[in-house]
DNA sequence: CATGAATGAGTGTTCATTCAT
DNA sequence: TATGAATGAACACTCATTCAT
């Protein structure tokens, strides 16, 4: 998997404090997650974030250009982290199926381990203005590229059907993961997100249709009755 | 298809004007679409919407509880319309595959025919507060239910694999459609959304994996080379 | 005297409230004079002005574009008033000397009758940004034009020396009046500004120099000893 | 000319750094002129002044009490310089007319040679708070005193009319010079300020009125037509 | 039903000043 | 002396909502 790496240096975007207290930077970001997860982007006053971080209001502006910059930096850091992990883990894998499972697992694992961060990325991040959405898009790009690479290499390996519309394939992968995480967040993060990995990968790989003779996975041994029992999720 | 209908009476939610000038209600809703599509939710002042609708500011509050209610009513109306159409069209179909294709087609057709509405539902609707998102969920319910029905009946018919996680299946369907429409909107609505129906249904039904001997669709005759050419979309 | 009249319609500049409560407009302006005279421009919070005017903060913005607009409107109104009075009074006079005396008298009378307004125009008005100073210049123009007209007509009548640099003559007239009013304001408005009219006009007309045989005025009978006694002013 | 000298020791006012690096003190003052002339008082951040002076922000406070103190020190230094020059030059003159011409010439020469300084003293200096204006008054005192001395000695010599109101005479002199410099600054410092000396002195000495038989100066040979041509100034 | 003038709560951001090093 | 990171007070302005007419 070729994960593009220009976002690894996820600090570049700051452009304000080149060499200030890194712990303070982290504290503000963490405080922002806490406050935003609780109150949403628009109701998360800078003064509350500052207080939660243990700094003065003005200090926030030594580390971030403005309030939106905090949000963008949050996403940049978390996506950057996921992408970096992906580079490390997926590099060792050769099979597209394994790569897909790994990236889904990674995504669920990362967001599943931090419900507040997930709340911010899945819900509050979307409350911002159009111009910020553009920047968000550019931050997500490396992740999208990683998904595209998986599809592309899978086709090359003969593991993925060459006839799928690749862009749509990518959107299916991301859309399914995104919808899954959002549902998990909005229902209170009550179950383990990673538990869904196999089911998600199964449906992504094999679709809904009962074809004839396609390769069955371990998941297939579950029958419809069992399926109906899974009710942890709302 | 069992589309739950309690939201069809989409006027119930108003609770303000039981039977006022219906044309004025529509005018405000239409004005809201225009203004929000252009400026986003937060920059769409009530006064601008009122002016665009040809009514006074105060009049808006005779028809809607508040600004968010306009947004919610927009969604209620458009989803209600789609659900109603779905009831009509899917009722005649017996095959789950056909139903899936029909609902995807219908969704793309409705939003594809109204880019401004799509802009509002895909982008601006998400800028609202968390508490409103709950209401949005309840509005979407009938549509989700329709998708669930398709999955459920598909399994009963033996068309859909009984082993798929049904909730995840539904999220895959909706997530893929949603992501597809969002991408279309955010790149300027430059191509025909309905042109993607077949490719979307193909990947939903058969997944990514090149299994052995699953039933191929007409789409399958496209080869990788052709796939690479599809560049209408950004 | 040809006083250019485009500023008579001193309400045009508002451009916000075309037909609102005129009494409210006046109340805000008067409140602004009170508050600014006491605290200066920068310390005159909109909320204090609003409270003093008996309106809500937001109402101020129904009548004025922003805080600077209040200041500019103040000047526009007071200078406009002086210019309008000048048109009425100077129109009846034919002699440039009389016109000069009249306009000095008028200026001192108007500002002398309203020390708080004078405090604002002489002190606080100058605390604003460069861009506003430009607008202030355009508001003062008609007054400068009136002074120019007096000089010009005086020369035509043979009353004013044709060799004086007209622009400098105007600046002397205005500079002397301005300096006189400022001194009066800054020392607490303790004496009657209009009492200085004759002495000011005398020095403007005849200068400092003891020429030989120039026409003496009544003021000339005051001798140096008396002059030294005038100590009301700081 | 009796120029009171207690402000010559313009360092007294500092009260902070008694004998620090004089070059640094100058550098900060010069940087302040540059930055303020460009951006105005309120937009001239201490940090920009410090950077322009090549020192740290905090260092500024080792030399100046606060931001206003920089402005006041600027005026103190420049007026002090003018007053000192005046003492040197006017001491040699015996005639009040010559003294007046010399001090006008000196004032125009000093400010005319430094448009940025003039911009600060004529425009930005006036943007300060009312309490500071009092201190400005005390700084200007020696200059006012010099003007008063000229008037006083002129009367004693029989050169200046004993009947002029002396305080008003002084205000006319200063007001005319001030207005002239301000106009020059605000129109872009495009002509030579010193070129106006003769015209200014002429009108100060002889006023506007065409009396009979007052002593004419060389300037008088200019006729009205020529006067009209002087259009260097805006 | 309709109006639209009036309301007033709510907050991101700047920057002069301080002080620990 | 000098630094510059940290501080935190201060406030104009917007706009959803109301209600007297």
């Amino acid at each position: 998997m070729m994960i593009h790496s220009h976002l690894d240096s996820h600090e570049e975007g700051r452009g304000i404090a080149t060499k200030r207290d890194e712990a303070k930077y982290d504290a503000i970001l963490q405080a922002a997650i806490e406050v935003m997860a609780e109150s949403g982007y628009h109701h998360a006053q800078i003064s509350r974030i500052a207080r939660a971080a243990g700094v003065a209001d003005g200090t926030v502006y030594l580390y971030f250009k403005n309030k939106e910059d905090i949000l963008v930096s949050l996403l940049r850091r978390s996506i950057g982290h996921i992408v970096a992990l992906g580079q490390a883990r997926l590099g060792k894998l050769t099979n597209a199926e394994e790569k897909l499972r790994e990236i889904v697992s990674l995504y669920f694992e990362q967001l599943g381990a931090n419900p507040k961060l997930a709340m911010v990325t899945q819900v509050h991040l979307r409350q911002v203005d159009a111009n910020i959405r553009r920047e968000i898009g550019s931050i997500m790009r490396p992740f999208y590229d990683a998904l595209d690479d998986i599809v592309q290499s899978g086709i090359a390996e003969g593991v993925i059907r060459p006839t799928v519309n690749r862009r749509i394939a990518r959107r299916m992968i991301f859309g399914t993961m995104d919808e899954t995480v959002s549902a998990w967040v909005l229902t209170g993060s009550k179950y383990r997100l990673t538990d869904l990995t196999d089911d998600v990968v199964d449906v992504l790989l094999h679709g809904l249709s009962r074809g004839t003779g396609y390769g069955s996975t371990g998941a297939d041994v579950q029958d419809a009755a069992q399926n109906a029992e899974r009710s942890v999720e709302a």
Side-chain angles (χ1 to χ4, degrees), chain A:
Chain A
M1 171 187 174
M2 292 271 299
I3 290 189
H4 306 257
S5 61
H6 64 277
L7 266 182
D8 288 345
S9 55
H10 53 84
E11 308 306 349
E12 283 182 303
R14 270 200 271 158
I16 299 191
T18 319
K19 255 311 167 219
R20 311 260 170 112
D21 192 330
E22 199 67 22
K24 213 161 270 182
Y25 178 85
D26 291 345
I28 294 169
L29 231 37
Q30 188 55 39
I33 293 175
E34 311 270 350
V35 175
M36 286 185 187
E38 184 185 320
S39 315
Y41 177 72
H42 289 296
H43 291 106
Q45 293 120 297
I46 291 291
S47 58
R48 280 178 62 206
I49 295 174
R51 198 180 316 127
V55 300
D57 291 19
T59 304
V60 172
Y61 289 86
L62 294 177
Y63 292 87
F64 300 93
K65 190 154 57 63
N66 50 36
K67 193 178 173 182
E68 284 182 336
D69 188 37
I70 300 178
L71 202 57
V72 167
S73 299
L74 265 179
L75 183 65
R76 185 179 293 134
R77 156 164 297 199
S78 53
I79 287 295
H81 187 218
I82 290 175
V83 167
L85 279 179
Q87 285 185 306
R89 295 197 198 165
L90 274 68
K92 304 168 185 162
L93 304 176
T94 53
N95 184 279
E97 272 195 35
E98 291 177 330
K99 287 180 181 174
L100 181 64
R101 185 175 314 276
E102 184 60 41
I103 206 165
V104 170
S105 173
L106 178 59
Y107 197 75
F108 286 0
E109 168 195 302
Q110 291 297 314
L111 291 175
N114 198 340
K116 286 178 179 175
L117 172 63
M119 177 63 88
V120 173
T121 64
Q122 299 303 119
V123 179
H124 304 309
L125 190 64
R126 325 212 164 177
Q127 294 178 12
V128 295
D129 262 311
N131 51 320
I132 288 294
R133 292 188 78 90
R134 244 182 297 283
E135 192 163 359
I136 291 175
S138 79
I139 295 174
M140 294 303 294
R141 184 73 39 84
F143 190 76
Y144 292 153
D145 287 343
L147 297 180
D148 285 338
D149 284 343
I150 291 174
V151 172
Q152 181 64 29
S153 62
I155 291 172
E157 296 165 18
V159 172
I160 288 182
R161 294 189 289 136
T163 54
V164 298
N165 181 319
R166 293 161 196 185
R167 202 152 1 226
I168 288 177
R170 182 241 285 165
R171 285 178 198 145
M172 175 179 69
I173 300 172
F174 185 77
T176 305
M177 296 195 316
D178 188 65
E179 196 72 16
T180 302
V181 177
S182 287
W184 173 75
V185 160
L186 291 173
T187 54
S189 318
K190 296 203 179 75
Y191 47 95
R192 288 210 329 231
L193 198 47
T194 45
D195 285 351
L196 303 181
T197 303
D198 284 344
D199 285 357
V200 165
V201 172
D202 169 56
V203 81
L204 289 177
L205 286 177
H206 306 111
L208 303 169
S209 178
R210 174 175 223 155
T212 46
Y214 63 88
S216 74
T217 71
D220 288 359
V221 299
Q222 302 165 337
D223 69 8
Q226 285 175 332
N227 193 348
E229 301 301 334
R230 293 180 217 148
S231 55
V232 207
E233 322 172 35

